[in-house]
Amino acid sequence: MNYTLNQLRIFVKVAQNQSITKASEELHLTQPAVSIQLRNFQDQFPIPLTEVVGRRLYLTEFGKEIALASEKVLSEINAINYKTLEYGGNLAGQLKIAVVSTGKYVMPYFLSGFMTKHSKVDLVMDVTNKASVIRSLENNEVDFALVSVLPKHLNIDKVELMENILYLVGSEDSLKIDKKRRLKSLANAPLIFRENGSATRMAMENYLNSKNIKVSKKVELTSNEAVKQAVVAGLGYSIMPLIGIKNELMNDSLKIYNLPGLPIKTNWNLIWMSSKRFSPVAKTFLKYLKEEKESIIQTEFNWFKSYAKKEYG
């Protein structure tokens, strides 16, 4: 057998995406180039690695075993490269962080300075819903996770980053909520929710339940951006984190509505398993975060504090 590291990388990426198209996009290669390398890799095995069923590509059982072995080989190659850099006096390695979807408005600001300072560190940041983030942490697939609701079933440590504030928002063109009867009006208004597993959805449902509001019109969307655009378009109202609607508030495409019991206040926390054995990269990042956290908040999120203190009609 005479397969190359490039073929291993391509096969692993195809296996992860179960799609040549998506793999080519992530690898910044053309589809024909990926297909050729995949075929050359397959030609070295007497057993099929993939199969196409109903126009979808799947790994065979043998293909799954080869994908796992390939990932291990590539991981060891990366380890050799990082060790070489470390012996040259550079901090090197991967920093892996899972972030709940709304956290994408928060986490990059706490990473930027660190990544600039340590150019040999590679960042892997997975932005997904809360359930997937916690699963990644529990399975030791990441170093850290950013959440606003702490998992009660895991033994974790944490660094509290900053406050997370959620308001009821709607567009200027949406159905006006009667100021005198807002809670009752909300029950009859179309409400837009995140998908199950989202901490924002959980906060919204808890609020509605606490006020005995029975939802009559409900829309469910799978990302914070989708919810925001739906609210801007006037499809309904939603309870959303302030951190993700800065531009829309500034250009008046979203309006905050005052209701009893709002805003909801939680905290953004960077968490990790208490039993986690940190790599030098993870250890250095945690030290950086503790030292620079307040400065980052003051520099990057000063606008956030001013909005949070406002009174809304």
Side-chain angles (χ1 to χ4, degrees), residues 99-117:
V99 178
V100 294
S101 57
T102 310
K104 66 177 175 285
Y105 303 109
V106 177
M107 199 66 231
Y109 293 100
F110 291 94
L111 286 162
S112 179
F114 178 81
M115 297 302 297
T116 299
K117 184 177 181 180

Side-chain angles (χ1 to χ4, degrees), residues 59-73:
L59 294 182
T60 63
E61 287 304 313
F62 178 66
K64 292 176 183 177
E65 294 293 329
I66 297 301
L68 286 173
S70 299
E71 287 177 358
K72 291 178 181 178
V73 170

